[in-house]
Amino acid sequence: MFEGLFSLFRKKLPAKRILMYGLQRSGTNYFETLMHLNYPDATFLNGDLRNEITHKHFRLYPDKSIIPEPQFDNTLQVPDFADFEQQLGTAAPDLYVIISKDPIGWYTSYLRWSKKNNWPKVNHHYIEEYNMFYGMWMHYATQTHKILFVQYKTLLKNPDAVLQEVAAKLHYPVRDAITNTRKVYASKRFTDKKKQDTLNEAYRSELSEVELQDLYQHLNTEVAAFLGYTSGR
């Protein structure tokens, strides 16, 4: 009831613009849903075409040979942040939000996703794409203050804190409490069990010790540490 009254009488906020990026299976839909519920005046500029620069899963990394499926194929080379914003033109936002999962959580989910969608076999370890995708954003972050990195687990454990940080970046008033959701676009119902399984790292049991060591061997620890993960976590 009170949330409805808040929505009815609240002062309209400035229409700030966001571009969100993250690999598939990283929690981008959950973040977008939370923002729409709590800060509807913020506009997401992400497009629908998977090979265009505004798509949330767009591959900016230079080695296009590791792109996993044809829908994401592109030849764009944007070595620096200035080049990237030049390509965006009028689609350049007020804030870039980059969503990531910890490397092991992302890899196990991505592997399941690739099998479900019958992706062709690749000649590289999937974690190499993780290295390159987030490595580009790590590089861009040295050249601008417009990028905010968000860990999926933090979003699950403390969505209030994440949205407060986003609000501060957008110069929006910080809300005392947020509206959460179990329904996420393009995802199955987000149950408490799924949430706890993620927070408790149940996915680690999907990999053998040999597979874990192989992942660690291919993981770029500098990128992982920049995102806030140590030992792949």
Side-chain angles (χ1 to χ4, degrees), residues 104-135:
I104 298 172
W106 173 80
Y107 173 71
T108 52
S109 182
Y110 197 63
L111 190 60
R112 275 185 262 114
W113 184 255
S114 69
K115 292 176 180 176
K116 178 181 177 181
N117 290 281
N118 297 312
W119 285 2
K121 186 177 180 179
V122 297
N123 295 319
H124 62 274
H125 196 293
Y126 276 138
I127 206 66
E128 293 176 45
E129 188 178 2
Y130 183 99
N131 297 337
M132 292 187 184
F133 186 96
Y134 292 107

Side-chain angles (χ1 to χ4, degrees), residues 82-102:
D83 303 315
F84 174 61
E85 286 218 314
Q86 185 176 24
Q87 288 291 330
L88 287 172
T90 57
D94 299 290
L95 179 67
Y96 299 89
V97 179
I98 313 304
I99 312 292
S100 69
K101 269 186 184 175
D102 69 277

Side-chain angles (χ1 to χ4, degrees), residues 14-43:
K16 298 289 186 174
R17 298 161 18 124
I18 295 173
L19 268 175
M20 169 186 61
Y21 290 92
L23 285 168
Q24 297 102 305
R25 320 308 298 163
S26 295
T28 53
N29 291 328
Y30 181 50
F31 172 73
E32 186 173 3
T33 300
L34 287 178
M35 283 298 296
H36 285 319
L37 284 171
N38 293 278
Y39 291 99
D41 296 304
T43 301

